[in-house]
């Protein structure tokens, strides 16, 4: 959201959405009914040694873009400084009359499967769920704690990435491992990016003018992280991510599906313990591991320049994606809609075309003019009259979180 001139002032009735990562805080202030974005920004490189000149907060408000430069030692300092940029831009969040603060929380475990008003007990439980999401829940908890301290009178709501997949059928959510061990340790497929899959599948029904209850959908959320879901009648029946966001599709730095035997093999033969393998699978695999770049645009540029590793990485990415599309077509008994979303899904016509190439006999095709048209709107890219609607729908997790929070606090 860079178009500062589009930002209208005022925060009354708005929701502040906060998405805290290990070294970043993304935030957006928006009016949930109109979807009007009043301000947005990002705190970056939290806890990293950076020069005094390095921009670590970029804030887009009613009066343009402002910045903070220099090191941000911790999440609390980052959020406080972001609040100062709000104030300098004319919005004092403490007195603004905010409706709620909505927090993106990655793992809700078996416990949280709806948006939940945050209390001390809720924070403690989200913290306990860190064993299931050690990279994600601890920063989420930090964001919640600091936001509650800064805005003690504003209701705060947690919206969980896992919630949409809570009701996965048993056959889809169960790993075929020792059932006693699985039960004792909460091991099941939880799924992630649920807020996006739910929001996008709802938008698909709107765009097609169809009742969501009547639709069989495949949603492909392809960003830095990537996941696919199969949705029948508005309910998720399968998804590619599992106990953690590591399973499934090839991602920027994550491997997606592998033979778990690789971990044992590396422990025995390469002196790599479990933590070293976990680190490799999360941070140095996927596109990064295969081609040395995690960004899809950089990958495409490398392919253009004739880099064969980049070409292979792309082919592996597409191969995995098509495997999931095929699986979900069978699970759903055919699809009414296949939808691309998130950074890669929304912006790469080449990837969309390759993902669905040669599927005409299944009623699936991409119209090349529609696919390459420059547009940021939700739109159809299949030919007129095709049996399966193929769409591009921009995701908007912030809006979905803001709306969920607003509904909950009334
Ligand atoms: P996140 O998972 O961090 O929310 P995004 O949904 O923003 O990620 O997706 C980021 C990915 O989208 C990056 O790999 C980026 O290269 C890719 N991307 C963004 N714009 C384009 C584009 N025009 N063409 C191809 N890929 C793009």
């Amino acid at each position: 959201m860079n178009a500062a001139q589009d930002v209208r002032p005022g925060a009354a009735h708005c929701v502040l959405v906060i998405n805290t990562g290990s070294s970043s805080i993304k935030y957006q202030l928006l009016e949930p009914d109109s979807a009007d974005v009043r301000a947005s920004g990002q705190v970056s490189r939290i806890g990293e040694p950076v020069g005094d000149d390095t921009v670590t907060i970029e804030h887009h408000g009613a009066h343009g873009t402002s910045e903070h430069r220099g090191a941000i030692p911790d999440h609390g300092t980052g959020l406080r400084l972001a609040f100062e940029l709000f104030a300098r831009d004319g919005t004092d969040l403490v007195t603004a009359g905010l409706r709620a603060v909505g927090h993106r929380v990655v793992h809700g475990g078996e416990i949280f499967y709806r948006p939940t008003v945050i209390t001390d007990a809720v924070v403690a439980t989200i913290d306990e769920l860190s064993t299931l999401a050690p990279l994600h829940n601890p920063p989420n908890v930090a964001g919640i704690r600091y936001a509650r301290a800064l805005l003690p009178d504003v209701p705060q709501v947690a919206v969980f990435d896992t919630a949409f997949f809570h009701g996965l059928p048993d056959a889809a959510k169960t790993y075929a491992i020792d059932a006693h061990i699985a039960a004792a340790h909460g091991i099941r497929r939880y799924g992630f990016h649920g807020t996006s899959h739910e929001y996008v599948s709802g938008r698909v029904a709107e765009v097609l003018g169809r009742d969501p209850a009547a639709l069989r959908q495949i949603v492909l959320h392809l960003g830095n992280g990537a996941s696919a879901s199969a949705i029948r009648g508005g309910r998720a029946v399968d998804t590619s991510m599992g106990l953690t966001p590591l399973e499934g599709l090839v991602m920027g730095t994550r491997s997606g599906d592998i033979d778990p035997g690789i971990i044992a093999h590396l422990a025995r033969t390469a002196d790599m313990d479990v933590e070293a393998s976990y680190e490799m699978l999360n941070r140095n695999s996927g596109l990064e591991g295969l081609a040395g770049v995690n960004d899809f645009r950089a990958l495409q540029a490398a392919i253009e320049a004739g880099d064969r590793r980049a070409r292979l990485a792309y082919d592996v990415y597409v191969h995995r994606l098509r495997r999931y599309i095929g699986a979900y077509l069978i699970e759903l008994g055919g699809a009414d809609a296949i939808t691309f979303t998130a950074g890669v899904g929304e912006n790469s016509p080449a990837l969309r075309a390759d993902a669905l190439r040669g599927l005409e006999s299944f009623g699936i095709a991409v119209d090349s003019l529609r696919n390459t048209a420059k547009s940021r709107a939700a739109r159809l890219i299949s030919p007129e009259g095709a049996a399966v609607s193929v769409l591009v729908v921009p995701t908007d997790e912030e809006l979905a979180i803001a709306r969920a929070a607003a509904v909950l606090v009334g």
Side-chain angles (χ1 to χ4, degrees):
M1 222 288 307
N2 297 313
Q5 64 275 20
D6 290 348
V7 176
R8 292 209 266 122
H13 312 299
C14 284
V15 175
L16 177 67
V17 176
I18 297 180
N19 179 356
T20 312
S22 56
S23 64
S24 70
I25 305 170
K26 294 181 193 159
Y27 57 86
Q28 209 174 86
L29 179 71
L30 69 167
E31 209 292 310
D33 303 322
S34 63
D36 236 18
V37 176
R38 303 289 167 84
S40 67
Q42 177 159 354
V43 186
S44 315
R45 309 189 68 175
I46 298 169
E48 292 177 18
V50 299
D52 290 347
D53 270 356
T54 309
V55 175
T56 43
I57 309 182
E58 198 173 289
H59 178 84
H60 309 285
H63 302 102
T65 296
S66 46
E67 292 171 350
H68 173 86
R69 288 167 192 263
I72 310 267
D74 53 51
H75 289 83
T77 308
L79 202 57
R80 183 175 55 70
L81 290 169
F83 275 43
E84 281 177 18
L85 292 180
F86 267 105
R88 263 191 259 156
D89 190 62
T91 303
D92 179 351
L93 290 173
V94 178
T95 57
L98 290 184
R99 229 195 277 188
V101 179
H103 294 271
R104 177 187 184 204
V105 178
V106 167
H107 217 306
E110 290 277 16
I111 298 163
F112 299 111
Y113 49 89
R114 326 196 146 86
T116 302
V117 173
I118 294 173
T119 61
D120 291 346
V122 168
V123 180
T125 309
I126 294 172
D127 204 11
E128 283 163 21
L129 290 168
S130 295
T131 50
L132 286 169
L135 302 178
H136 297 95
N137 274 31
N140 296 162
V141 168
I144 291 171
R145 290 212 164 110
Y146 291 119
R148 290 180 87 203
L150 288 166
L151 297 170
D153 299 325
V154 180
Q156 314 232 351
V157 173
V159 178
F160 297 90
D161 248 37
T162 45
F164 185 54
F165 301 114
H166 179 75
L168 284 182
D170 289 344
K173 77 179 186 199
T174 305
Y175 287 107
I177 63 169
D178 183 315
H180 302 291
I181 291 179
H185 297 282
I187 295 176
R188 54 158 278 190
R189 309 188 65 257
Y190 289 95
F192 299 88
H193 291 147
T195 306
S196 175
H197 287 275
E198 183 173 20
Y199 171 82
V200 167
S201 58
R203 287 284 294 132
V204 167
E206 284 172 12
V207 171
L208 297 178
R210 301 272 305 271
D211 179 357
L215 290 177
R216 297 161 301 173
Q217 299 198 41
I218 297 173
V219 175
L220 307 168
H221 175 111
L222 310 175
N224 284 315
S227 60
S229 67
I231 299 167
R232 180 185 286 116
R235 297 172 68 109
V237 295
D238 209 346
T239 192
S240 59
M241 285 178 165
L243 175 77
T244 74
L246 189 52
E247 191 179 348
L249 303 177
V250 175
M251 310 182 212
T253 64
R254 284 174 248 163
S255 61
D257 297 336
I258 59 159
D259 177 349
I262 292 172
I263 297 168
H265 181 75
L266 289 174
R268 287 187 212 109
T269 61
D271 200 21
M272 276 175 74
D273 65 10
V274 168
E275 290 308 325
S277 284
Y278 190 65
E279 175 81 10
M280 175 195 73
L281 295 171
N282 271 291
R283 298 198 201 282
N284 196 30
S285 295
L287 302 178
E288 173 72 36
L290 289 171
V293 286
N294 68 59
D295 186 277
F296 209 81
R297 277 167 297 192
L299 184 81
Q300 290 177 317
I303 294 171
E304 292 281 306
D307 182 332
R308 286 164 61 180
R309 291 189 315 156
R311 179 77 233 175
L312 175 63
Y314 181 84
D315 290 346
V316 174
Y317 185 101
V318 172
H319 176 263
R320 185 82 50 83
L321 186 58
R322 288 170 62 90
R323 209 189 236 184
Y324 273 91
I325 294 167
Y328 291 171
L329 275 175
I330 299 298
E331 271 187 61
L332 292 167
D336 302 296
I338 300 177
T339 305
F340 292 87
T341 191
V344 177
E346 291 168 29
N347 295 301
S348 178
L351 182 275
R352 294 193 294 258
D354 288 339
L356 300 180
R357 193 174 301 288
L359 303 182
E360 289 78 7
S361 61
F362 297 91
I364 300 168
V366 171
D367 178 276
S368 72
L369 272 182
R370 288 180 173 185
N371 187 33
T372 51
K374 292 254 178 288
S375 167
R376 300 200 56 75
R379 61 198 184 276
L380 262 181
I381 57 167
S382 44
E384 204 58 47
V388 179
S389 299
V390 181
L391 299 97
V392 178
V393 172
T395 192
D396 195 340
E397 287 157 292
E398 287 79 12
L399 179 59
I401 291 171
R403 286 190 170 154
V407 165
L408 193 60
V409 302

